[in-house]
Amino acid sequence: MTTTPRPTARRKHFHGARVINYLRLTGRLAPDWHSDAALARARHLADTAPASFRAPLNRWIDVLCGTAPRPSRPLAPSTVCSHLRLAAPPLRTWYEDGVTDLRAVTRTHIEQALEPIHGEAAKSRATALRSLFRALKREKLIFRDPARTVSLTTAVVLPRPLADDMLRGALDRLSNPRDRLSFALAAVHALSTHDQRHLLLDDLDHSRAILRVRRTGKPVHTVYLDELTYRLARQWLAERHRRWPGTTSPYLLVTAHTATDDTQPPVSIQAINKPLRAHGHQAGRLRVDRILNEAQHTDDPLHLIRLFGLSPRTAMKYIHAAHPHRSQSDPIMS
């Protein structure tokens, strides 16, 4: 009796990164020179570290690449190399101070490594060290994570409005209907790139001219479209149907790539920001400017919460930026 071989079913827990690593090690995968060069630099940094640190550092690289005995989400090779580069100076300092085993590193060592630097440099180094000791703790190579409770004090940066001349005539300079709609959604209704990427066709209610914005873990935010934005939305939908009448993408915003992709991905952040950036704008900056402009006309955080769907803390941040005379000790609404 003969049986027809059944196609292999896709495994639910398919560890692609480990398979790719196996194929590369056995010479069955065409090399990716950019990625391989970044990982080679990371391995070199690990192999030139003090002898007692080399094995833990290489295990850390395995965890970051998703090829450790316990599966994990892989990071980009350039990120892996960056983490190794950022961790190298404190590791060298600790070894020179007599620390020859990473199990002997304490919270004080971590804080001393962060003390001489500030701002983004301190934040980046702290991220790398947290990643290192979290990975070693997970792999049971250390007993406790000395970086887990280390925190950095960072200054709160208040938002500032864009100059008026940057906004004049922006819509006239944007020729693509999708870009014009994105500009209006950010500059008029303060929708972030994340909000825009995940808008669905069904979220637009034509009968009431409203747009529903769904945010994970938050109530649905209802946007009441003004006449201009609603007109731009209809122009984009007409263009969308003209160019891709057969697309099955459920998203309001699509590109030539996402409209024809059967996996139905949302548009990328770059697809929204790149056309705007070409004219000196960015969706995130437009959103900040819109909220701050509204905050200058009111000192009521509830108004900002209802209008833009902000959290109480974020609303108070904009109120303080627009009205600096108000005490920063004003109670945050809960």
Side-chain angles (χ1 to χ4, degrees):
M1 177 177 178
T2 60
T3 58
T4 302
R6 298 175 60 185
T8 303
R10 181 176 294 179
R11 295 175 58 182
K12 185 176 181 180
H13 302 291
F14 183 74
H15 305 305
R18 299 179 68 183
V19 173
I20 291 173
N21 190 56
Y22 169 77
L23 294 175
R24 181 180 291 111
L25 292 174
T26 56
R28 304 179 189 181
L29 190 70
D32 181 342
W33 298 115
H34 179 74
S35 297
D36 288 352
L39 289 179
R41 288 193 295 271
R43 294 290 183 186
H44 175 74
L45 288 170
D47 293 338
T48 54
S52 58
F53 293 168
R54 293 172 189 171
L57 290 178
N58 276 290
R59 179 66 69 85
W60 180 31
I61 295 175
D62 292 339
V63 172
L64 295 179
C65 294
T67 58
R70 294 178 58 187
S72 59
R73 183 178 179 180
L75 299 182
S78 58
T79 303
V80 176
C81 183
S82 176
H83 278 2
L84 267 291
R85 180 176 51 82
L86 291 167
L91 289 172
R92 184 167 53 251
T93 299
W94 295 337
Y95 187 79
E96 292 171 353
D97 291 342
V99 177
T100 59
D101 192 328
L102 291 179
R103 289 176 293 185
V105 175
T106 65
R107 174 175 175 169
T108 301
H109 288 108
I110 305 292
E111 292 174 340
Q112 290 174 347
L114 300 176
E115 186 177 0
I117 54 179
H118 306 282
E120 288 299 318
K123 189 175 180 180
S124 298
R125 179 176 291 183
T127 299
L129 293 177
R130 289 193 189 106
S131 172
L132 168 61
F133 288 102
R134 183 169 58 246
L136 297 184
K137 178 71 165 57
R138 195 197 76 153
E139 295 296 306
K140 299 182 179 180
L141 297 180
I142 59 176
F143 301 114
R144 52 184 171 74
D145 180 355
R148 185 174 64 87
T149 58
V150 174
S151 60
L152 294 176
T153 301
T154 57
V156 177
V157 180
L158 296 178
R160 294 178 296 176
L162 296 175
D164 290 341
D165 58 355
M166 293 186 66
L167 299 177
R168 296 193 189 108
L171 283 175
D172 295 335
R173 295 193 296 269
L174 294 169
S175 58
N176 188 306
R178 189 195 69 232
D179 301 336
R180 290 163 61 86
L181 176 59
S182 285
F183 179 90
L185 291 175
V188 178
H189 299 285
L191 294 191
S192 67
T193 51
H194 182 273
D195 291 336
Q196 294 189 33
R197 293 178 63 221
H198 295 89
L199 289 174
L200 303 177
L201 282 171
D202 293 341
D203 291 333
L204 179 59
D205 186 338
H206 291 273
S207 63
R208 301 169 58 193
I210 64 173
L211 189 63
R212 297 181 181 87
V213 181
R214 307 174 193 277
R215 295 163 175 162
T216 304
K218 298 180 180 180
V220 175
H221 172 53
T222 300
V223 174
Y224 295 89
L225 300 177
D226 62 297
E227 183 179 349
L228 170 63
T229 307
Y230 184 55
R231 183 170 70 250
L232 293 174
R234 287 189 286 109
Q235 290 174 357
W236 160 242
L237 288 176
E239 175 71 7
R240 184 184 191 275
H241 180 72
R242 183 187 69 81
R243 295 188 62 184
W244 305 288
T247 181
T248 59
S249 175
Y251 295 102
L252 176 64
L253 301 181
V254 296
T255 63
H257 172 72
T258 63
T260 56
D261 192 332
D262 290 339
T263 62
Q264 301 180 343
V267 297
S268 66
I269 294 175
Q270 282 295 98
I272 295 175
N273 266 328
K274 187 175 180 180
L276 301 181
R277 195 178 291 117
H279 297 281
H281 301 294
Q282 189 173 1
R285 288 297 312 276
L286 292 170
R287 175 178 182 271
V288 167
D289 184 68
R290 174 65 183 98
I291 300 173
L292 186 57
N293 179 266
E294 189 69 27
Q296 289 170 342
H297 292 84
T298 179
D299 60 357
D300 182 7
L302 283 175
H303 176 71
L304 300 184
I305 292 171
R306 296 190 185 106
L307 186 61
F308 301 119
L310 304 179
S311 68
R313 186 174 297 276
T314 302
M316 288 303 300
K317 177 181 176 181
Y318 281 97
I319 293 295
H320 290 313
H323 305 278
H325 61 276
R326 289 189 55 159
S327 171
Q328 288 289 341
S329 63
D330 284 352
I332 298 295
M333 300 165 50
S334 57

